[in-house]
Structures are given as structure tokens and as C-alpha cells.
Amino acid sequence: MERIVISGGKPLYGEVTVSGAKNAAVAIIPGVVLCDEPCRIENIPNISDVSLIANILRDMGAMVRRVDKNTLDIDPRPINTYEATEEGVRKMRASYYLLGALLGRFHKAKVALPGGCNFGVRPIDQHLKGFQLMGAKNELINGAIIDLDASASFHGARIYFDTVSVGSTINVMLAAVKAEGQTIIENAAKEPHIVDLANFLNSMGANIRGAGTDVIKIRGVEYLHGVTYSIIPDQIEAGTYMAAAAATRGKITVRNITPKHLESISSKLREMGCEIDEYDEAVIVDATKRPLNRVNIKTMPHPGFPTDCQPQFVALLTTVKGTSIVNESVWDNRYQYVSELVRMGANISVEGRLAIIEGGTLTAAPVKATDLRAGAAMLIAGLVAEGTTSISNISYIERGYSDVVTKFQALGADIKKIYIPDPDAVATTA
Ligand code: EPZ
């Protein structure tokens, strides 16, 4: 069992460099399946979700070579199956991007239902609606595998999404790149990683217009050529370090970022009383100048405040005097971690989609990461709380944060990863 142990109570100071965006990487890597030549993907984050998706491609026959910590060479030409049903596929949400990518390449796809962080029901009806309109019949096999078949006719379509969905937008974009004719996605999601995926696909010769707006038009092409492509910086990782600096009342420089992607986060921190200085590829967060104010937050699809920074900001708001109200409007059930913060002395009550936070003092405690961003909230709370906080279930954190312990150490945090032998394993060998 591995844990992260933090002796909190020290403000963060210094510089941190943000890695490539997880949610772009886990869409772009399956996107390579559509390419007719090898590709090199740079600025890949060093996280377990990337290793998982790379292994899934390998299992399907792709040649995947890690050139260095942040670069992958992928030759998708040897892939000769439209099936991805191994156990690994169920371990991550983004493996469902193989539905769109395999459908685009083979006009058929058979993919295990995805896993990922548990925020209650995570339907994929909009993905399937898009594929159906493009000619694919779909069947759910044994409640566990989605079988898509567009071999009779695979074509562009006009698709209006009933809800703004990142995954559905990406999946239909992937499928449409090589479909005959034009696909129009209406009510599309606008997240930076959707624009990044479109830029990647266009650099290979795809014809996608409008990514980053709510109407995306894709005209199918026959051939995609190999490219070298560098993934955008991780907006959520940046937001996490910014929240941590504010929570510890420190001052940090966050490098390798795109300030435009951070507007909702920067403006919320400004509203709280932090000083935010933006540069071309860096931002300075200074929370040392004045006491911070309570604020309200409502999560929204981009360009609204990102749901993936909600837990980190709840952790921050537990340190700010007064009552703050957070409204989680994207996911039904993204407050499982609140009980862990309460173990650290936080005063938070949850009513449906609202979290009502009375700021106060946090005290160290043993806590667990209940999902990826929940784990980030535990890190922030641990950095603030006097005493030693120990966090378990850290594999969730490692799914999405590159080198998180060394990055916080470089900011002056007293944090380390420790290994605790499993008591059951000892008993068996004894
Ligand atoms: C992506 O998940 C991200 N994951 C999530 O980040 C993020 O929280 C989410 O987008 C919202 O920004 C990846 O990019 C791998 P959605 P996704 O489809 O695509 C409903 C993280 O921490 N919906 O935009 O699964 C759904 O229930 C992860 O990095 C339908 O109703 O999210 C939700 O309420 C966690 N039908 C809303 O739309 C559908 O067919 C948004 O979901 C699809 C979605």
C-alpha cells in the first residue's frame, strides 16, 4: 500500500511547471488509430491513464514506443482488430474514445464499457445517438460490451446533442473524420482539449472547422498522414497548483500554461483577493497580500468554472472565513470526498448539488482519495492542516497528476510517498 504523507502548515513558494493535458492525451492517443502513418506525440503527461491507453493500443497490435518520459511514437498501421474488450479497457473512462476511432477506421467497433471515476450514473446515450445517426447499429452485449456496426453504410450526419458533453463531442469528431460527407455537431462542448484534438486531427489532414464553438463541422477525408504533435498544457493541473498556493497563503509561479484556458479559475481567485499576474505562458498567484474572501462557485461546461477543479476549490474554501456555496451543475454526485474533508475538521454540508462551506481550521487526519480530483483536494487540505496527514488510495491521484510529490516538494512542501507493507501479505508469508 502506498500513501502520500504531508506535514502541513507551510505556505507554498517557488515555481512549478505544468505537464501536458491528461484529458487531451487520452483523446489524442486513441485518435492516432485513425492515422495511415506513424505519429509522434510530445508533451505527454507521465500518468498512469496514459500508460493504460498506450497498453490498450499495444494489445490491439499498434507499435507504441516511449521515446522519453513525455514522448510516444505510435505506429497504428499494424492494428488489425476493431475489438478492445480486455480488462484494461474497463479501467479508464477514456477508453470509450476507441468507439469513435475504431468506427472511423473499420466502420465497426466492439469496446468494453468504460470505468473511470465514479460520479454516479455516467450515461453514454449521446455518444450512441451520434454513432446511430452516422449509420451505426449498436448492441450491448451481456451488459458489458458495446458493439457498433456501420459496415452497411457509414456517413456524415447532423447531430444535436441534448446535453453539452465532452466525451460525446470527442467521440463523434473521431468517428466523423473519415466518414463520407459532412458531419455537423450542434451544442458541442468547447473545452480546450476538444480544440487540441481538432488541431491534432487537422494537422494530419482532417477537415474540422468550429472546434471551440458550439457548432463543429467535419468533412470526411480518406487519408491521414503522420505528424509530430505536442499536447497542450493541463488546465486542471494548473488550477490545482493555483488553488494550493491560495489555500496555503503562498506565492507561486505556474509555468507552461495557456492563460486563456485558466480565465474562470484566475478570475475566481482574484475575486477571493489573490493577486494574479498573467504572462504569455505563466501565471503568478500571490495569496500573501490580504486575507481571502469567501466566494460562491458554479461549475459549468467551458468556458465556465471547470467541474474538475471543484473539489480543489472546496478544499481551498474550507480555509476562508465566512460561508461559501458551491453549485456542481455538471455531475450528479461529485461530493463523495466531502466526508474526508470533514474528518479533517472542515464544516461542509451537502444538499443535492450544493455544498455549503463554513470556513475554519483544518486538522491533519488519515484520509483517502475517493477519485482523482478528490485526491487533489486531499493534497491541498493536507498542505494546509497542521500535523501529519496521510492519504491512501493514491493510485487515483497518479492517474492524472504527473510527478505530483516532487512538484509539491519543489514548492517547499513537506510531502513524501511512502510504502506500507500490506498486513495481510505479511500474515500469509509468516
Ligand atoms: C470529461 O468526462 C472529463 N474526462 C471529465 O474529467 C470531466 O469532469 C467532464 O468531461 C466534464 O468536463 C475526460 O475528458 C476523460 P461529459 P466526460 O460527457 O466526457 C452527461 C477528470 O477529473 N452526459 O462532458 O465523461 C453526464 O452525465 C475527469 O479529469 C449524458 O447525459 O463528461 C454529465 O452530467 C473526470 N449523456 C455531463 O453530461 C452522455 O452521453 C457531462 O459529461 C454523456 C454525458
Side-chain angles (χ1 to χ4, degrees):
M1 280 195 304
E2 288 176 326
R3 283 173 192 256
I4 291 178
V5 176
I6 308 170
S7 290
K10 285 167 68 181
L12 297 180
Y13 282 101
E15 294 190 1
V16 62
T17 300
V18 164
S19 300
K22 160 190 166 273
N23 288 343
V26 297
I28 285 173
I29 295 170
V32 176
V33 168
L34 289 160
C35 193
D36 296 284
E37 297 173 10
C39 288
R40 172 166 288 188
I41 313 295
E42 298 174 337
N43 202 30
I44 290 206
N46 181 29
I47 54 174
S48 60
D49 266 12
V50 160
S51 310
L52 266 174
I53 192 76
N55 282 338
I56 293 169
L57 256 53
R58 252 187 216 114
D59 287 346
M60 295 171 68
M63 292 204 298
V64 182
R65 190 173 70 91
R66 198 170 266 278
V67 180
D68 58 41
K69 200 169 149 190
N70 304 113
T71 309
L72 280 184
D73 278 350
I74 307 173
D75 185 349
R77 292 172 298 182
I79 296 177
N80 58 10
T81 175
Y82 58 85
E83 292 193 21
T85 51
E86 299 296 323
E87 196 46 40
V89 177
R90 291 177 214 284
K91 288 194 183 142
M92 67 182 300
R93 190 83 195 152
S95 53
Y96 65 12
Y97 293 144
L98 289 168
L99 285 170
L102 292 170
L103 194 62
R105 174 155 163 183
F106 295 108
H107 302 181
K108 284 182 169 204
K110 217 173 185 182
V111 177
L113 272 177
C117 292
N118 174 15
F119 312 137
V121 184
R122 293 183 74 175
I124 58 164
D125 57 301
Q126 298 302 303
H127 305 233
L128 298 179
K129 168 178 158 176
F131 297 144
Q132 252 163 358
L133 288 167
M134 298 176 76
K137 292 195 191 102
N138 83 69
E139 198 190 334
L140 184 61
I141 304 171
N142 296 332
I145 292 171
I146 298 165
D147 190 1
L148 298 177
D149 187 349
S151 50
S153 167
F154 182 54
H155 49 77
R158 190 174 196 118
I159 298 157
Y160 177 85
F161 285 133
D162 300 334
T163 189
V164 178
S165 156
V166 172
S168 315
T169 305
I170 288 180
N171 237 337
V172 166
M173 229 161 78
L174 288 168
V177 160
K178 283 188 156 180
E180 201 180 325
Q182 181 168 249
T183 299
I184 300 177
I185 304 175
E186 289 172 301
N187 202 21
K190 298 182 277 221
E191 269 63 8
H193 39 289
I194 287 172
V195 179
D196 203 34
L197 175 68
N199 288 341
F200 165 65
L201 295 168
N202 281 342
S203 71
M204 299 195 294
N207 183 348
I208 303 173
R209 286 175 297 135
T213 75
D214 47 21
V215 180
I216 302 179
K217 294 183 178 166
I218 306 141
R219 196 164 280 286
V221 297
E222 279 186 8
Y223 192 88
L224 295 177
H225 58 80
V227 288
T228 295
Y229 189 82
S230 184
I231 287 174
I232 52 165
D234 197 311
Q235 165 207 22
I236 305 302
E237 189 194 6
T240 302
Y241 286 103
M242 291 166 80
T248 60
R249 309 299 190 263
K251 179 180 177 183
I252 69 168
T253 303
V254 187
R255 295 201 179 278
N256 186 33
I257 53 120
T258 306
K260 178 100 188 114
H261 296 167
L262 294 170
E263 272 170 357
S264 60
I265 294 165
S266 297
S267 78
K268 200 45 80 176
L269 289 171
R270 278 198 185 103
E271 191 184 329
M272 293 180 72
C274 295
E275 278 186 14
I276 308 286
D277 288 326
E278 285 168 4
Y279 300 87
D280 286 350
E281 293 186 351
V283 63
I284 297 178
V285 180
D286 186 352
T288 62
K289 294 278 171 68
R290 59 188 75 84
L292 299 189
N293 314 312
R294 39 103 18 227
V295 289
N296 296 335
I297 296 177
K298 182 174 184 182
T299 66
M300 306 270 281
H302 192 79
F305 189 92
T307 171
D308 293 344
C309 273
Q310 179 259 102
Q312 301 89 312
F313 270 69
V314 167
L316 160 60
L317 291 171
T318 64
T319 70
V320 178
K321 205 168 156 212
T323 309
S324 300
I325 298 177
V326 171
N327 182 343
E328 171 55 60
S329 89
V330 177
W331 295 109
D332 289 340
N333 187 5
R334 203 173 190 173
Y335 288 127
Q336 284 114 320
Y337 67 91
V338 160
S339 53
E340 299 300 304
L341 287 180
V342 168
R343 289 157 68 88
M344 298 181 71
N347 183 350
I348 307 170
S349 54
V350 173
E351 289 172 20
R353 287 180 177 253
L354 299 185
I356 299 133
I357 303 138
E358 285 297 335
T361 309
L362 295 175
T363 44
V367 288
K368 62 174 187 284
T370 52
D371 63 60
L372 166 59
R373 308 302 171 188
M378 296 308 125
L379 289 172
I380 292 173
L383 291 166
V384 172
E386 295 283 348
T388 304
T389 293
S390 131
I391 306 172
S392 58
N393 278 6
I394 63 169
S395 58
Y396 276 122
I397 299 174
E398 290 171 344
R399 291 184 71 149
Y401 287 93
S402 295
D403 310 318
V404 68
V405 168
T406 45
K407 286 187 184 184
F408 274 122
Q409 280 170 345
L411 292 171
D414 188 342
I415 180 171
K416 62 186 177 207
K417 184 165 143 181
I418 61 164
Y419 177 77
I420 302 172
D422 181 350
D424 293 338
V426 173
T428 327
T429 49

